[in-house]
Amino acid sequence: MMANDMEHDGQRAETAPETDVKPEARAEDNAVALASLITERDELKDRVLRTLAEMENLRRRTEREVADARTYAVTNFARDMLNAADNIRRALESVPAEAASTAEGPLKALIDGIELTERDLAKTLERHGVKLIEPQGQRFDPHRHQAMFEVPNAEVPNGTVVQVMQSGYVIGDRVLRPALVGVAKGGPKAAANPADAA
């Protein structure tokens, strides 16, 4: 039995690998491997965070584009409808004020019908985000108004809209058509707008 044990130990000694690796070297290898894994983890974490940020930016941009598409989808149609609104306004303005106030019978019905049509068209446009620009008495804004001429007027501040030739319209926050206006010239300087200073 002892011979067997010795023989068995001899085989064990032959098959056991020789380990000349010192514990300090093994610890260094483990530290290097750990540092490598930590670096790889940090890189992957950074990639995941960047991907999440890109996805969030894409989601926000898509939401904004969808909202813009909803708001401005009717732009071309609305621009075409402004011609009809202008013609209706011209029809009402072509009737003298005195004739309109004393009109009776079919003429009165015609005038009332045209006024009703104008109000209904304005409500429909407004329901779809198209709003009338009413610049009369306001300071001239080159982004919303188009100056057609200057009017010498010392009673109002310089740069004030004193006459509107054609109404302007906006859709959302974009100008659909600028208002055609006459601007005062020669009056006192307009007071600085606190919003402009900011």
Side-chain angles (χ1 to χ4, degrees):
M1 180 105 177
M2 220 166 167
N4 265 350
D5 285 338
M6 286 170 114
E7 196 176 298
H8 201 47
D9 286 340
Q11 286 177 350
R12 237 188 271 158
E14 288 176 15
T15 59
E18 300 229 359
T19 54
D20 291 338
V21 179
K22 296 179 183 175
E24 297 85 28
R26 217 181 266 158
E28 283 180 28
D29 290 345
N30 288 342
V32 169
L34 181 61
S36 173
L37 289 173
I38 289 173
T39 303
E40 185 178 347
R41 180 205 61 190
D42 291 346
E43 288 174 1
L44 291 173
K45 183 178 178 182
D46 185 55
R47 277 191 209 162
V48 167
L49 291 175
R50 286 178 189 271
T51 302
L52 289 173
E54 287 175 14
M55 293 305 293
E56 181 63 21
N57 289 339
L58 179 63
R59 184 188 63 77
R60 286 183 188 151
R61 187 171 48 248
T62 303
E63 284 177 358
R64 191 171 44 246
E65 288 172 358
V66 167
D68 282 353
R70 283 188 191 130
T71 302
Y72 303 114
V74 297
T75 299
N76 289 333
F77 178 73
R79 194 171 283 128
D80 291 342
M81 292 307 297
L82 296 183
N83 291 331
D86 291 341
N87 289 335
I88 291 171
R89 172 71 357 223
R90 284 187 200 103
L92 288 171
E93 289 173 350
S94 69
V95 178
E98 185 180 310
S101 63
T102 60
E104 293 181 12
L107 181 58
K108 174 96 171 113
L110 177 65
I111 293 170
D112 290 344
I114 293 173
E115 287 174 346
L116 179 64
T117 302
E118 182 183 41
R119 282 192 304 268
D120 190 40
L121 180 60
K123 285 180 187 175
T124 302
L125 288 171
E126 200 165 312
R127 191 170 49 244
H128 291 282
V130 179
K131 294 179 185 158
L132 180 69
I133 298 173
E134 296 184 23
Q136 185 73 35
Q138 293 182 359
R139 187 172 181 195
F140 176 74
D141 179 359
H143 301 290
R144 303 181 85 159
H145 311 138
Q146 183 176 343
M148 300 303 291
F149 51 88
E150 291 183 327
V151 177
N153 189 339
E155 296 175 12
V156 295
N158 200 18
T160 301
V161 174
V162 292
Q163 190 173 356
V164 179
M165 302 299 296
Q166 184 180 48
S167 299
Y169 290 87
V170 293
I171 184 167
D173 59 352
R174 296 181 187 168
V175 175
L176 189 60
R177 180 179 79 187
L180 304 180
V181 299
V183 181
K185 177 185 178 186
K189 287 195 173 191
N193 190 351
D196 291 344

